[in-house]
Amino acid sequence: MLKTFADYFAFQVIGLDAKSRLGEAVDFFVYDTVKIFLLLTTIVYVVAVIRSYFSPERTRRILSHNREYIGNVLAALLGIVTPFCSCSAVPLFIGFVESGIPLGVTFSFLISSPMVNEVALIMLWGLFGWKIALTYVGSGVVVAILAGMAIGRLHMERYVQDYVWEMKVGAAEIQEQSFREKHQYASGYTKELLKKIWPYVVVGIGLGAFIHGYAPEDLLVRYAGRENPLAVQLAVLIGVPLYSNAAGIVPVVQALMGKGLPIGTVLAFMMAVTALSFPEAVILKNVLKTRLLATFFGIVAAAIIIVGYMFNTFL
């Protein structure tokens, strides 16, 4: 339905050519803007309602295990069953921070949720078999756990935007309320958060739409082939500006592997597209200060590159 609306608006109302780069970019922008704002509104509201039933202390106990890595493992596994794109995972990330969950654990979730999901797992299994499918899941979870642990060890809480910590105040006061009161709280919280981040979402989607419409289709194949020793780094650099969820990028992965790209290079590209993107960076900039945002991107990109080379070497 959303795709039909986007096509109608771009090609009928505006009158753009469906085969033109501008038409593809505008169609992508309309579709993703509507989709992401629907997702954001729904997710933020649902998370706010759920949080009104569970105290921050209980959430903190579950994911703030005495052994640091346990929380990272649980958060990464939780990310698998919450198949959000990188942009729509941000509200849950904020909710984790507000609940007092360690920052490194929240990043394990933020990485795992867009990078790994069951839809992509099923699609990869059907297209390439169980070995590649499980390779995808295992490498994604490992990246999420290790990157989250690394960020946690750096103790960079002071580089989270101040308003996120301020929103944490009073979170424990919403426990004894009627459902109507919970609804009012969740609605107010949703409006407040969307009011803060909507410009960043629109700009981020606009960047993704421009790249979607104007980037050459054979860019990765042209510059990141088997003969290039820097192929994995280039795959990550090319993937970062793009924007898609894991399921949406699977057909691209199929095409790239069909053109002879090594599995490690393709997996690195897929992880960069889903876990790191310019739209995500633009949105996260409203939640994280520049140093923490740069640290997050740097650590995850390095982990993805290592995974890519490992699979190119051993597979």
Side-chain angles (χ1 to χ4, degrees):
M1 183 182 295
L2 291 181
K3 188 65 171 66
T4 302
F5 168 77
D7 292 345
Y8 173 77
F9 186 85
F11 307 135
Q12 300 296 323
V13 176
I14 300 180
L16 298 172
D17 183 356
K19 296 181 180 179
S20 69
R21 293 187 181 277
L22 179 61
E24 290 182 5
V26 171
D27 184 51
F28 181 95
F29 178 80
V30 173
Y31 173 73
D32 262 46
T33 299
V34 176
K35 180 188 73 173
I36 287 177
F37 273 104
L38 285 174
L39 277 171
L40 282 173
T41 303
T42 303
I43 293 167
V44 173
Y45 176 83
V46 170
V47 169
V49 170
I50 292 174
R51 282 174 48 219
S52 71
Y53 285 96
F54 296 93
S55 67
E57 289 73 18
R58 182 178 179 185
T59 308
R60 190 184 303 114
R61 280 198 304 270
I62 295 173
L63 291 178
S64 303
H65 198 276
N66 290 332
R67 294 184 178 179
E68 177 190 17
Y69 67 90
I70 298 295
N72 294 97
V73 171
L74 292 175
L77 294 177
L78 177 62
I80 296 176
V81 296
T82 51
F84 304 129
C85 65
S86 57
C87 295
S88 55
V90 171
L92 286 177
F93 171 83
I94 296 173
F96 279 17
V97 173
E98 291 174 23
S99 297
I101 295 169
L103 192 62
V105 174
T106 64
F107 272 108
S108 286
F109 170 82
L110 182 65
I111 298 165
S112 174
S113 182
M115 184 184 290
V116 184
N117 70 61
E118 70 275 17
V119 177
L121 171 62
I122 293 170
M123 292 177 68
L124 285 173
W125 197 308
L127 290 171
F128 305 115
W130 66 270
K131 290 183 179 180
I132 289 181
L134 294 184
T135 295
Y136 150 72
V137 173
S139 56
V141 170
V142 168
V143 167
I145 293 170
L146 296 182
M149 290 177 64
I151 292 172
R153 292 288 181 89
L154 294 175
H155 302 293
M156 301 185 73
E157 286 76 8
R158 64 186 180 279
Y159 296 111
V160 176
Q161 296 288 0
D162 295 336
Y163 83 87
V164 177
W165 300 118
E166 292 168 2
M167 292 174 71
K168 182 178 174 181
V169 177
E173 299 176 2
I174 58 175
Q175 299 307 306
E176 300 300 329
Q177 296 178 326
S178 65
F179 181 79
R180 181 177 180 181
E181 290 171 325
K182 294 177 186 293
H183 165 71
Q184 291 174 342
Y185 160 76
S187 299
Y189 177 87
T190 302
K191 292 177 182 176
E192 179 184 356
L193 186 59
L194 290 179
K195 193 180 297 183
K196 289 180 179 291
I197 69 174
W198 76 264
Y200 299 87
V201 175
V202 172
V203 171
I205 297 171
L207 287 172
F210 176 81
I211 294 165
H212 176 83
Y214 289 90
E217 293 180 358
D218 62 344
L219 188 64
L220 186 62
V221 176
R222 190 187 308 169
Y223 294 109
R226 291 181 181 274
E227 68 284 352
N228 189 343
L230 300 178
V232 177
Q233 289 96 318
L234 282 173
V236 172
L237 287 175
I238 293 171
V240 167
L242 304 179
Y243 171 74
S244 177
N245 58 30
I249 200 66
V250 168
V252 179
V253 169
Q254 182 182 21
L256 292 174
M257 292 189 68
K259 292 182 178 182
L261 261 68
I263 182 174
T265 304
V266 174
L267 280 177
F269 173 75
M270 180 177 181
M271 290 179 179
V273 171
T274 54
L276 300 173
S277 67
F278 278 165
E280 178 190 23
V282 172
I283 297 172
L284 278 175
K285 184 64 178 68
N286 199 41
V287 180
L288 309 176
K289 296 179 182 178
T290 303
R291 182 172 295 186
L292 179 52
L293 182 61
T295 301
F296 163 60
F297 265 67
I299 290 176
V300 176
I304 290 173
I305 289 170
I306 291 171
V307 168
Y309 275 114
M310 285 179 60
F311 284 114
N312 278 352
T313 301
F314 298 110
L315 295 177

